[in-house]
Amino acid sequence: MRIATWNVNSLRVRLPHVLDWLAAQRPDVLCLQELKLEDKAFPSAELEAAGYHAVSNGQKTYNGVAILSRGAAADVVRDIPGFDDPQKRIIAATIGGVRIVCGYFPNGQAVGSDKFDYKLRWLAALTTWLRDELKTHPRLVLTGDFNIAPTDQDAHPDWKDEIHVSAPERDAFTALIDLGLSDAFRLFEQTGQSYSWWDYRMGAFRRNFGLRIDHILVTRALADACRRCSIDSAPRKLERPSDHAPVLVDIEI
DNA sequence: ATGGCCACTCTAAGTGGA
C-alpha cells in the first residue's frame, strides 16, 4: 500500500501537477492540504477519470483538506470532534483497513502570537482525539503538513526563525509520537539534508534552504511493515510549483 | 545569502503562508 501526502497550495492551480503525479506514482492514498477551494468546487470528475475517489473538507481561500484513494473511503470524519474551529484542517477516513488522518496543521506565524496559541491548542485537541482513535484503530496513519520541523536535522542550519522549530511545537510533535507513532521517514537511512518545503523567495529551493515539515506518522503495527519512505522533490522543479514536495511511504499490507 | 514569492480576493492592495 502506497500512501502519500502533499500540500498543493491551491488545488485549482496545481491540479495538472496532481494528475501527472498520480499517474506516475500510482499511490493508493494521497492526502492533500491547502486546497483553497470549497467542496462544491472540488475537481471530482477529473480525479474520478484518473481512477481516484475523493472525500474533502474544503474552505474558500484558506485551508481545506482531502483524501484521494483508489479504494472506497469509509467512516469519514471532518474536523477534530469536540474542537470548535471554523478552519477546515482535518479529514479522516478508513481505506483498506487503515485509518488515514489527513491534517493541515496551523502555521503559527510567530512564537507568542495569537496564531501560535491557536496552533498549540489545535495540537492539544488533535492529540486528545487521536488517543481515542488509536483505541479502535491499531493501523493508523497521521499525515499531512505539520508545520513543525521535529529536530535540528529537519531544518536548514541557517533557519533563524523560531517558528516551526520552537520547543513548544517540538514538544507537541513528541506528544503525538508518544501516542505510539513513528516518523516513517526516519525509519530509514536518508542521504543528505532532506526537506519537504522551500520558500518561493530567495532561491531557496536552488540552495536547498528548506524545512522538513510534511510527515507520515504510523502506528507500530504499520511501522514494522514499512519498506520505503521518501520525499519526491521532482514536482518542486516544475513551472508554477507548490512550495511543498510530496512525501510517500510504501507499506507491505 | 547580495536575492527580490505566490495565491487569494467584493481586482486593489492587503493578508497569509512558512
Side-chain angles (χ1 to χ4, degrees), chain A residues 75-112:
Chain A
D75 302 321
V76 178
V77 169
R78 292 173 175 82
D79 308 321
I80 300 171
F83 184 67
D84 188 26
D85 185 3
Q87 302 188 31
K88 302 302 186 186
R89 297 182 173 278
I90 283 286
I91 189 165
T94 301
I95 297 157
V98 178
R99 190 66 173 160
I100 305 286
V101 180
C102 167
Y104 173 48
F105 294 40
N107 175 307
Q109 200 165 58
V111 174

Side-chain angles (χ1 to χ4, degrees), chain A residues 57 77-90 104 106 115-129:
Chain A
N57 189 14
V77 169
R78 292 173 175 82
D79 308 321
I80 300 171
F83 184 67
D84 188 26
D85 185 3
Q87 302 188 31
K88 302 302 186 186
R89 297 182 173 278
I90 283 286
Y104 173 48
K115 287 176 182 172
F116 188 76
D117 292 341
Y118 164 69
K119 182 175 192 171
L120 296 183
R121 285 189 290 109
W122 190 94
L123 282 158
L126 175 70
T127 306
T128 299
W129 171 52

Side-chain angles (χ1 to χ4, degrees), chain A residues 3-163:
Chain A
I3 299 170
T5 182
W6 196 1
N7 177 325
V8 290
N9 184 22
S10 169
L11 184 56
R12 198 173 271 120
V13 173
R14 232 64 67 190
L15 184 60
H17 290 185
V18 171
L19 292 171
D20 286 350
W21 197 80
L22 288 171
Q25 301 292 339
R26 299 304 296 166
D28 298 285
V29 176
L30 174 60
C31 295
L32 299 176
Q33 303 88 37
E34 275 208 271
L35 307 179
K36 297 187 175 181
L37 48 75
E38 292 172 289
D39 288 337
K40 65 185 180 189
F42 193 88
S44 300
E46 291 89 337
L47 291 162
E48 285 286 343
Y52 286 87
H53 309 294
V55 289
S56 64
N57 189 14
Q59 183 181 336
K60 188 180 179 181
T61 312
Y62 304 112
N63 312 310
V65 287
I67 301 174
L68 314 184
S69 60
R70 296 162 75 175
D75 302 321
V76 178
V77 169
R78 292 173 175 82
D79 308 321
I80 300 171
F83 184 67
D84 188 26
D85 185 3
Q87 302 188 31
K88 302 302 186 186
R89 297 182 173 278
I90 283 286
I91 189 165
T94 301
I95 297 157
V98 178
R99 190 66 173 160
I100 305 286
V101 180
C102 167
Y104 173 48
F105 294 40
N107 175 307
Q109 200 165 58
V111 174
S113 67
D114 288 350
K115 287 176 182 172
F116 188 76
D117 292 341
Y118 164 69
K119 182 175 192 171
L120 296 183
R121 285 189 290 109
W122 190 94
L123 282 158
L126 175 70
T127 306
T128 299
W129 171 52
L130 283 178
R131 189 173 288 117
D132 260 1
E133 283 287 291
L134 287 161
K135 289 173 186 167
T136 49
H137 296 101
R139 289 181 166 188
L140 184 145
V141 174
L142 171 64
T143 188
D145 175 2
F146 285 56
N147 272 315
I148 300 170
T151 72
D152 288 346
Q153 197 180 4
D154 303 309
H156 190 281
D158 293 338
W159 181 264
K160 295 303 179 200
D161 285 345
E162 279 297 304
I163 195 67

